[in-house]
């Protein structure tokens, strides 16, 4: 399994229900081809860097995915024919794959050596 980031730009003229339907379709496609959604980042309506299809705005959404290597080709084939998607791009996130796994188990405090315990006991008795 590899980590991917899928970015899409939807038409700004779409209603909220249609945007939700497109997101649901994308989530369904990802699940159908063996992917697991890590996170969905919905940016909403933003200004485009350049004009696309005589439009200056688009609805941005990013999907962070754990998926097998066959997923990008399948997604591209299906997203390319969607009329509501202005642009899309799927990137493999190798930087996230190589990140070290963090062990969340708590670490116990080291136990003092027996000699150190004996020294502390003699220092305490000397002070008294």
């Amino acid at each position: 399994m590899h980590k991917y980031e899928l970015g899409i730009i939807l038409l700004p003229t779409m209603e909220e229900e249609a945007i939700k339907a497109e997101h649901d379709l994308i989530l369904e496609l990802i699940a159908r081809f063996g992917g697991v959604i890590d996170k969905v980042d919905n940016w909403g309506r933003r200004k485009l860097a350049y004009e696309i299809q005589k439009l200056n705005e688009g609805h941005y959404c990013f999907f962070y995915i754990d998926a097998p290597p066959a997923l990008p080709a399948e997604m591209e084939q299906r997203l390319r024919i969607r009329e509501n998607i202005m642009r899309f791009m799927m990137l493999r996130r190798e930087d996230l794959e190589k990140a070290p796994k963090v062990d969340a188990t708590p670490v116990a405090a080291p136990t003092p050596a027996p000699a150190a315990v004996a020294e502390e006991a003699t220092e305490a008795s000397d002070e008294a």
Side-chain angles (χ1 to χ4, degrees):
M1 297 278 264
H2 300 293
K3 297 214 179 270
Y4 295 98
E5 178 180 349
L6 171 64
I8 63 167
I9 304 174
L10 298 170
L11 292 172
T13 56
M14 294 175 62
E15 298 293 325
E16 286 298 318
E17 297 84 28
I19 292 171
K20 176 86 170 107
E22 286 292 331
H23 287 180
D24 291 343
L25 175 86
I26 291 170
L27 295 174
E28 180 185 318
L29 286 173
I30 291 167
R32 183 187 315 161
F33 296 110
V36 177
I37 305 294
D38 288 338
K39 179 179 147 186
V40 177
D41 194 7
N42 190 356
W43 284 14
R45 198 169 178 164
R46 301 282 175 125
K47 186 170 172 44
L48 298 173
Y50 55 90
E51 213 174 79
I52 300 173
Q53 301 171 0
K54 298 185 181 180
L55 297 170
N56 292 323
E57 292 183 330
H59 186 88
Y60 285 73
C61 191
F62 295 91
F63 300 87
Y64 299 92
I65 307 163
D66 251 350
L71 182 96
E74 295 291 342
M75 290 296 292
E76 180 178 343
Q77 187 177 37
R78 282 153 179 82
L79 294 178
R80 188 176 300 279
I81 60 173
R82 302 294 303 168
E83 292 178 4
N84 292 329
I85 297 177
M86 294 168 52
R87 292 284 191 273
F88 70 91
M89 179 182 286
M90 184 171 252
L91 301 172
R92 182 170 169 193
R93 298 291 308 265
E94 292 180 5
D95 57 328
L96 296 177
E97 291 176 3
K98 294 178 182 178
K101 300 279 184 194
V102 177
D103 187 17
T105 57
V107 178
T111 56
V117 173
E119 286 178 19
E120 288 178 10
T122 55
E123 287 176 7
S125 65
D126 291 338
E127 290 176 4

